[in-house]
Amino acid sequence: DTAVSQTPKYLVTQMGNDKSIKCEQNLGHDTMYWYKQDSKKFLKIMFSYNNKELIINETVPNRFSPKSPDKAHLNLHINSLELGDSAVYFCASSQDTTDTQYFGPGTRLTVL
Amino acid sequence: QKEVEQDPGPLSVPEGAIVSLNCTYSNSAFQYFMWYRQYSRKGPELLMYTYSSGNKEDGRFTAQVDKSSKYISLFIRDSQPSDSATYLCAMTPIGTGANNLFFGTGTRLTVIP
C-alpha cells in the first residue's frame, strides 16, 4: 500500500546512456515533484507538475525531461548521463500546490 | 551562499537527552517552516509545520521560529534510539504555500541507547 512509489530503487549505468525513473502515487493528489539529493544530502527541487501541467522548472540541464502521462504518474527521463548526475532522486506528491508533500523512497542513480 | 544553512553534524547524544537542531536563512520572504525526518535509505517525512514566529509543540517535538533573527529550531525531548535519522529543515516564500521548498542540508542525529 505504498503511497508514493518509484522504480527502480537502484540504477547503475554508464556515462552517455539514457535512462528513465518512474513515479506513481495512489493518494489522489494533484501535484507531483522531482527532487535531487546530492552526496551531501542537499535536497533541491527540480520540477513540479500540477494536474499534468509543469509549474516549476528549476535550473536543470535540458537533458532532464519530466513527463506526466496522468495525475498519478510523473516520470523523469535523463539523456546523455554524466558523472555529476549521480545522486538520489526523490519523487513527491501533494494534494495541491500548497499542501504537505509526501516523498517516495528514492532512486539511487550511479553513473560510472 | 545557500539560502538555508544547517549544520550537517553528525550529532550523537545519549538516550533521554534533549536535542537541539537549528537552521538559519537569509531570505526574509520565507514564511512557512517545516522539519522533515529522513531515515537511512528512505524519503523525507514531514514532522512539524509552522507559519508564525513562536513555538509549536507536538509530543516530544517542539518547533521554534524566530523570524527577526531568521533562525529556526527543532527540539526533541527524551530522545530515543528511534529518533536516529537525518533532520532537514525546509522553508518556502510567502505566497507559494508549501510548494516550492528550500531545504537545509540536514543534520544527522544518532541517539545512543
Side-chain angles (χ1 to χ4, degrees):
Chain A
D1 286 13
T2 306
V4 182
S5 59
Q6 296 179 228
T7 53
K9 198 167 182 179
Y10 299 96
L11 185 54
V12 181
T13 188
Q14 300 286 334
M15 264 197 317
N17 284 350
D18 302 339
K19 290 293 178 187
S20 291
I21 307 172
K22 298 190 176 190
C23 177
E24 177 181 2
Q25 52 96 3
N26 62 5
L27 297 166
H29 288 168
D30 287 342
T31 309
M32 296 185 73
Y33 313 79
W34 277 110
Y35 285 86
K36 179 181 179 180
Q37 188 172 46
D38 61 25
S39 57
K40 295 183 179 175
K41 294 283 192 178
F42 184 57
L43 194 63
K44 187 167 167 56
I45 192 165
M46 300 172 70
F47 303 103
S48 173
Y49 270 72
N50 186 54
N51 280 317
K52 295 174 27 179
E53 285 192 28
L54 183 65
I55 55 172
I56 291 178
N57 184 356
E58 291 296 307
T59 307
V60 174
N62 57 16
R63 298 181 295 104
F64 291 79
S65 53
K67 283 191 173 49
S68 182
D70 55 58
K71 283 198 312 183
H73 295 85
L74 180 62
N75 304 323
L76 183 65
H77 189 76
I78 316 170
N79 289 328
S80 302
L81 278 155
E82 301 177 357
L83 292 176
D85 298 332
S86 296
V88 182
Y89 291 84
F90 286 99
C91 176
S93 74
S94 59
Q95 183 63 54
D96 55 38
T97 58
T98 63
D99 203 8
T100 301
Q101 295 183 29
Y102 294 85
F103 283 79
T107 295
R108 187 172 293 271
L109 170 66
T110 303
V111 182
L112 303 174
Chain B
Q1 183 189 3
K2 291 191 175 73
E3 288 187 286
V4 181
E5 297 282 352
Q6 184 176 6
D7 185 343
L11 182 62
S12 289
V13 300
E15 185 174 352
I18 296 175
V19 176
S20 172
L21 305 166
N22 311 296
C23 287
T24 58
Y25 61 95
S26 55
N27 189 345
S28 57
F30 289 140
Q31 297 291 323
Y32 300 82
F33 304 91
M34 286 139 277
W35 285 95
Y36 281 80
R37 179 176 61 197
Q38 185 176 17
Y39 290 114
S40 182
R41 306 276 174 165
K42 300 286 186 185
E45 56 177 332
L46 183 66
L47 261 184
M48 304 276 294
Y49 179 108
T50 184
Y51 170 71
S52 55
S53 280
N55 293 351
K56 181 177 180 180
E57 195 171 310
D58 184 1
R60 296 184 295 111
F61 298 89
T62 300
Q64 190 175 78
V65 174
D66 182 347
K67 288 185 181 177
S68 61
S69 302
K70 298 191 181 66
Y71 187 88
I72 69 170
S73 300
L74 178 71
F75 297 97
I76 308 174
R77 289 185 301 281
D78 188 25
S79 54
Q80 303 294 308
S82 59
D83 295 328
S84 298
T86 296
Y87 290 80
L88 300 127
C89 63
M91 48 199 78
T92 186
I94 190 168
T96 63
N99 189 333
N100 190 0
L101 294 180
F102 291 80
F103 281 87
T105 51
T107 300
R108 193 168 61 148
L109 170 68
T110 301
V111 180
I112 303 165

